[in-house]
Amino acid sequence: MLSALRHAAQRRNFSSRSTVQGFNEAVGNTPLMYLKSLSEKTGAKIFGKAEFQNPGGSVKDRAALGLVRDAEGRGLITPGGTIVEGTAGNTGIGLAHVCRALGYKCVIYMPDTQSQEKIDLLRMLGADVHPVPAVAFENPKNYNHQARDFASSIDNALWTNQFDNTANAQAHYVSTGPEIWEQTQGRVDGFVCATGTGGTLAGAGKYLKEKSAGRTQIWLADPPGSVLTSYVTSGGKLVERSGSSITEGIGQGRITDNLATFVNELSGAFTVPDSKSIAMLYELLDSEGLYLGASSALNVVAAVELAQRLGPGSSVVTVLCDGAYRYQSRLFSKKWLTSKGLEDAIPPHLKKYTVLD
């Protein structure tokens, strides 16, 4: 058993004698997981980048660390200062970890629609959390604007501005993209994921497209209520945002500065209904043993669709953003699923996992 574990560690480029310097150096170098059951169904090779294995539990650890390190390098924050962000949760959690590791105070503004698990965790990590009403970006009371205004009101404070600070996308360009390229040995036909800030899709997508000389297709997957699919498929026309989704932290009503660095290079986009995301969430738990959040499940639905578009033998990569632990009181609650009209989206043989009333 021990030799098998060592072999697995070696395949992930880890050594039992290697160490990293705390939280920050542990960010990145996540495994690329082959999703066997879905690959066999499609005749393609479908992979999920296991970002839930980052030390803070999500893909947003990369952006959080990148934003702070960039600010330090430019002299925008000095020791003992305050990091402020508006976030749906995971970037805030990543920032709270980074702030603890580097000695900064952390203040988070977030929509009050987010899961209680996220709010509780942020507070446990020492962040000063301000849940505020969820209003459109155009509204001055939007959580991003409140974060910006608070940071400007105190000394030695940084609003990391995750949506429009392109250090976010750069963090993925120098880490996530190269890791995927190396892990697939350059054999990646398609990369697809949802986007909130646009950092992961733009950064990793740009690297993969450049490295493959344009061969790798980069697609955007959207939840309901987002305007990004229509923007891409219409050739750049923004429509008014309508509708909503159960997913947290993804979807947009505008083109962020991070997404703008790559949006015109996208190969395409499509929308994934919540019903398909929920069904996939339960299927991944049952067939792959993966306990993932709804945005991760949406990404896998999109990867399957892209694999079907590209055909048998293709290789497609997506992002497994985070685990279900931060959403379990909703995603595995019969009452909550019924309130969203999603209980019937779960295949009958998988309803055994809805263990919460």
Side-chain angles (χ1 to χ4, degrees), residues 106-110 118-124 126-131:
C106 184
V107 177
I108 299 297
Y109 284 80
M110 66 190 306
K118 283 183 179 178
I119 296 171
D120 291 342
L121 178 55
L122 280 164
R123 288 174 172 155
M124 290 174 199
D128 181 7
V129 184
H130 299 267

Side-chain angles (χ1 to χ4, degrees), residues 211-223:
K211 196 69 175 179
S212 68
R215 180 181 61 82
T216 302
Q217 293 192 23
I218 313 297
W219 285 67
L220 183 153
D222 232 8

Side-chain angles (χ1 to χ4, degrees), residues 152-169:
S152 66
S153 72
I154 61 174
D155 293 333
N156 194 18
L158 171 76
W159 173 45
T160 46
N161 190 15
Q162 61 165 328
F163 290 89
D164 295 312
N165 183 344
T166 56
N168 177 346

Side-chain angles (χ1 to χ4, degrees), residues 44-314:
K45 293 180 180 178
I46 298 176
F47 299 92
K49 187 79 165 125
E51 291 298 286
F52 59 87
Q53 289 201 10
N54 277 303
S58 87
V59 65
K60 295 297 188 177
D61 289 359
R62 296 182 190 259
L65 182 59
L67 290 166
V68 173
R69 287 304 197 196
D70 176 74
E72 289 178 330
R74 293 193 288 144
L76 300 178
I77 189 78
T78 57
T82 303
I83 303 294
V84 187
E85 183 54 280
T87 168
N90 279 336
T91 301
I93 291 167
L95 284 170
H97 279 287
V98 170
C99 286
R100 294 276 55 76
L102 295 176
Y104 297 114
K105 303 178 187 71
C106 184
V107 177
I108 299 297
Y109 284 80
M110 66 190 306
D112 59 8
T113 55
Q114 302 308 293
S115 67
Q116 191 62 43
E117 288 95 335
K118 283 183 179 178
I119 296 171
D120 291 342
L121 178 55
L122 280 164
R123 288 174 172 155
M124 290 174 199
L125 290 169
D128 181 7
V129 184
H130 299 267
V132 299
V135 296
F137 183 80
E138 294 76 19
N139 190 313
K141 293 296 184 181
N142 178 273
Y143 63 100
N144 292 292
H145 305 325
Q146 292 200 51
R148 175 200 62 202
D149 294 344
F150 177 79
S152 66
S153 72
I154 61 174
D155 293 333
N156 194 18
L158 171 76
W159 173 45
T160 46
N161 190 15
Q162 61 165 328
F163 290 89
D164 295 312
N165 183 344
T166 56
N168 177 346
Q170 181 65 15
H172 291 282
Y173 181 81
V174 300
S175 68
T176 316
E179 287 173 30
I180 292 170
W181 185 261
E182 180 181 354
Q183 289 167 323
T184 60
Q185 297 180 318
R187 293 190 288 271
V188 52
D189 299 303
F191 175 75
V192 60
C193 70
T195 182
T197 66
T200 305
L201 182 66
K206 180 180 179 182
Y207 182 89
L208 293 171
K209 191 158 188 178
E210 287 179 357
K211 196 69 175 179
S212 68
R215 180 181 61 82
T216 302
Q217 293 192 23
I218 313 297
W219 285 67
L220 183 153
D222 232 8
S226 175
V227 304
L228 299 181
T229 293
S230 64
Y231 179 88
V232 173
T233 57
S234 70
K237 296 179 182 178
L238 274 176
V239 299
E240 185 176 348
R241 191 170 189 173
S242 63
S244 63
S245 171
I246 63 162
T247 56
E248 297 183 15
I250 57 174
Q252 265 296 347
R254 66 186 182 98
I255 304 301
T256 66
D257 286 359
N258 279 290
L259 184 57
T261 65
F262 190 72
V263 68
N264 293 329
E265 303 298 319
L266 290 170
S267 303
F270 48 84
T271 297
V272 176
D274 282 347
S275 57
K276 287 188 176 182
S277 296
I278 283 292
M280 181 60 75
L281 185 149
Y282 279 78
E283 181 177 347
L284 288 165
L285 177 58
D286 189 66
S287 64
E288 301 284 352
L290 293 173
Y291 189 62
L292 301 173
S295 56
S296 299
L298 182 151
N299 282 347
V300 176
V301 173
V304 170
E305 181 167 336
L306 182 55
Q308 291 169 335
R309 289 172 184 251
L310 297 179
S314 59

